[in-house]
Amino acid sequence: MPEEDLLKIEEIISNVIHDNCYPLILPEISFVNHNGKYVVKIKIYKGNNPPYC
């Protein structure tokens, strides 16, 4: 998969989280190559304003 596609997927995921979660969540999104396939890794840290919906 071209790197441009990975960046596009990252942007889509980030926008979905931003548009559907409150208060604002800032995820850490990365891609891990596992046996020739990319796996999406999304890390969300505990925030200061729970609860999150």
Side-chain angles (χ1 to χ4, degrees), residues 15-33:
N15 287 338
V16 167
I17 291 171
H18 180 270
D19 294 345
N20 293 289
C21 297
Y22 180 81
L24 181 63
I25 295 173
L26 299 172
E28 181 180 305
I29 302 170
S30 60
F31 296 90
V32 179
N33 191 326

